[in-house]
């Protein structure tokens, strides 16, 4: 944000993991985020499809009190922290109650917000620095998926760049989008609100070089997830691997949504083991030998 070689030469900061795929071609992405005409202009995205409140960061207070996320950030007997700071806009001393919000570690951020975060963390009296200091002193987790979303929700004027949604949770400026990133996570137990995903999912074959996901995910995606990807309107998907289902890797990126076949998981899918003739032959020979021995015993 401060290097003159790059300042003013980029439209959006998007961080990606090595197991993430873009849904659309770069030219399409460029049009969507175009700072003058793109439907995603002037909007900061800090969530993924696994977030409880979709495109908007999730307020910690909507979780049940027994839920681990609520417990960790609400043990302060005085309630949510009140942060005193110096406002960088007018230089005035101010106070603000910081309510923890959850998002994702994968984001799409506008240049002015990125610059604000970078500069603020160098200023010990800024809201970002004072909030950081509170989390450290209170021994609270300061993860990407809480620190950045919480700062975005409370810092003016950047909190006015949060996604504007329709009643159904889709983006007002682009109604086909309900998530900027599609992923499957936390399906090992019901959610805080009792939802349990009973769809099957891809497992890592024993012969695969892919690492086994954590029990909470994110889980690998494949061709049978395409329908849900289309429904989400996401621009990125995670996680994928040629060592689990190469078909989905070869499928993307596309030029338009209509290029994505609407394929969903069957009610229940069961497939055979990978055929292995040597193993099958050995089993057949073993069975034949056992039958021959049985016949010999019957004649005795």
């Amino acid at each position: 944000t401060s290097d003159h070689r790059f300042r003013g030469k980029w439209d959006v900061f998007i961080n990606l993991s090595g197991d993430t795929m873009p849904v659309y071609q770069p030219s399409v992405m460029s049009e969507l985020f175009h700072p003058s005409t793109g439907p995603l202009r002037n909007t900061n995205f800090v969530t993924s499809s696994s977030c409880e409140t979709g495109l908007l960061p999730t307020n910690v207070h909507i979780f049940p009190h027994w839920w681990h996320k609520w417990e960790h950030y609400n043990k302060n007997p005085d309630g949510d922290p009140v942060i005193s700071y110096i406002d960088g806009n007018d230089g005035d001393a101010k106070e603000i109650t910081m309510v923890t919000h959850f998002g994702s570690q994968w984001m799409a951020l506008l240049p002015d917000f990125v610059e604000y975060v970078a500069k603020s963390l160098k200023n010990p009296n800024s809201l970002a620095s004072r909030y950081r200091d509170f989390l450290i002193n209170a021994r609270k987790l300061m993860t990407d998926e809480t620190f950045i979303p919480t700062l975005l929700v409370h810092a003016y004027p950047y909190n006015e760049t949060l996604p504007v949604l329709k009643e159904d949770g889709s983006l007002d400026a682009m109604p086909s989008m309900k998530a900027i990133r599609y992923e499957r996570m936390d399906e090992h137990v019901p959610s805080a609100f009792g939802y349990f995903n009973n769809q099957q999912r891809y497992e890592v074959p024993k012969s695969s070089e892919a690492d086994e996901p954590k029990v909470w995910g994110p889980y690998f995606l494949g061709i049978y997830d395409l329908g849900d990807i289309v429904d989400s309107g996401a621009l990125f998907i995670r996680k994928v691997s040629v060592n689990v289902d190469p078909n989905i890797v070869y499928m993307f990126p596309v030029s338009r949504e209509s290029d994505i076949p609407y394929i969903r998981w069957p009610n229940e899918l069961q497939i055979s083991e990978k055929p292995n003739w040597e193993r099958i032959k050995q089993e057949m020979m073993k069975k034949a030998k056992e039958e021959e021995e049985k016949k010999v015993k019957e004649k005795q």
Side-chain angles (χ1 to χ4, degrees), residues 154-199:
H154 293 88
Y156 177 82
Y158 308 103
N159 51 9
E160 295 185 347
T161 66
L162 286 162
V164 178
L165 308 184
K166 291 181 175 292
E167 289 186 4
D168 65 354
S170 63
L171 188 67
D172 186 66
M174 189 173 164
S176 62
M177 178 186 287
K178 292 186 177 180
I180 191 169
R181 299 167 192 267
Y182 180 81
E183 63 186 6
R184 293 184 64 178
M185 284 195 68
D186 300 322
E187 297 179 6
H188 59 304
V189 294
S191 72
F193 306 100
Y195 172 73
F196 184 72
N197 190 339
N198 59 7
Q199 280 189 341

Side-chain angles (χ1 to χ4, degrees), residues 101-157:
H101 282 71
F102 290 86
S104 170
Q105 66 187 114
W106 313 108
M107 310 174 190
L109 304 176
L110 299 173
D112 57 348
F113 181 63
V114 174
E115 183 174 14
Y116 163 75
V117 174
K119 286 186 175 181
S120 294
L121 289 174
K122 294 180 180 179
N123 177 359
N125 297 314
S126 70
L127 175 60
S129 291
R130 291 288 178 85
Y131 181 51
R132 173 201 60 199
D133 295 343
F134 161 77
L135 292 171
I136 293 173
N137 293 331
R139 302 181 69 82
K140 303 294 184 185
L141 290 174
M142 191 174 73
T143 60
D144 300 339
E145 54 264 40
T146 54
F147 184 78
I148 299 297
T150 301
L151 198 59
L152 178 62
V153 167
H154 293 88
Y156 177 82

Side-chain angles (χ1 to χ4, degrees), residues 29-282:
M29 296 287 197
S30 181
E31 291 177 2
L32 294 175
F33 285 102
H34 193 283
S36 300
T37 59
L40 306 185
R41 68 186 186 279
N42 302 326
T43 307
N44 284 294
F45 295 93
V46 291
T47 68
S48 66
S49 61
S50 61
C51 294
E52 300 284 359
T53 47
L55 286 164
L56 288 175
T58 305
N59 186 317
V60 67
H61 293 299
I62 78 166
F63 291 109
H65 290 189
W66 50 266
W67 195 247
H68 64 282
K69 291 181 178 179
W70 189 94
E71 285 188 327
H72 180 73
Y73 288 99
N74 287 280
K75 290 183 178 179
N76 185 352
D78 298 324
D80 296 310
V82 177
I83 306 297
S84 300
Y85 69 102
I86 304 299
D87 192 328
N89 295 314
D90 52 26
D92 292 343
K94 296 181 179 179
E95 289 187 344
I96 187 172
T97 300
M98 297 289 280
V99 180
T100 300
H101 282 71
F102 290 86
S104 170
Q105 66 187 114
W106 313 108
M107 310 174 190
L109 304 176
L110 299 173
D112 57 348
F113 181 63
V114 174
E115 183 174 14
Y116 163 75
V117 174
K119 286 186 175 181
S120 294
L121 289 174
K122 294 180 180 179
N123 177 359
N125 297 314
S126 70
L127 175 60
S129 291
R130 291 288 178 85
Y131 181 51
R132 173 201 60 199
D133 295 343
F134 161 77
L135 292 171
I136 293 173
N137 293 331
R139 302 181 69 82
K140 303 294 184 185
L141 290 174
M142 191 174 73
T143 60
D144 300 339
E145 54 264 40
T146 54
F147 184 78
I148 299 297
T150 301
L151 198 59
L152 178 62
V153 167
H154 293 88
Y156 177 82
Y158 308 103
N159 51 9
E160 295 185 347
T161 66
L162 286 162
V164 178
L165 308 184
K166 291 181 175 292
E167 289 186 4
D168 65 354
S170 63
L171 188 67
D172 186 66
M174 189 173 164
S176 62
M177 178 186 287
K178 292 186 177 180
I180 191 169
R181 299 167 192 267
Y182 180 81
E183 63 186 6
R184 293 184 64 178
M185 284 195 68
D186 300 322
E187 297 179 6
H188 59 304
V189 294
S191 72
F193 306 100
Y195 172 73
F196 184 72
N197 190 339
N198 59 7
Q199 280 189 341
Q200 290 180 259
R201 54 179 181 259
Y202 290 83
E203 294 185 350
V204 178
K206 293 180 180 179
S207 61
S208 175
E209 296 180 2
D211 293 331
E212 189 74 30
K214 301 292 186 182
V215 66
W216 57 84
Y219 314 111
F220 283 104
L221 304 176
I223 286 296
Y224 284 115
D225 293 299
L226 288 177
D228 288 327
I229 292 170
V230 171
D231 288 342
S232 73
L235 304 184
F236 302 95
I237 58 172
R238 176 176 181 255
K239 101 187 209 178
V240 298
S241 172
V242 293
N243 295 309
V244 177
D245 185 358
N247 298 300
I248 195 169
V249 178
Y250 302 147
M251 171 73 65
F252 296 107
V254 298
S255 297
R256 59 186 67 85
E257 183 184 286
S258 59
D259 292 338
I260 308 173
Y262 195 79
I263 301 174
R264 298 180 59 85
W265 282 93
N267 182 49
E268 186 174 8
L269 179 69
Q270 184 170 337
I271 62 175
S272 67
E273 294 181 0
K274 184 178 180 180
N276 182 323
W277 170 240
E278 288 301 321
R279 179 177 57 79
I280 294 173
K281 183 173 67 173
Q282 290 298 323

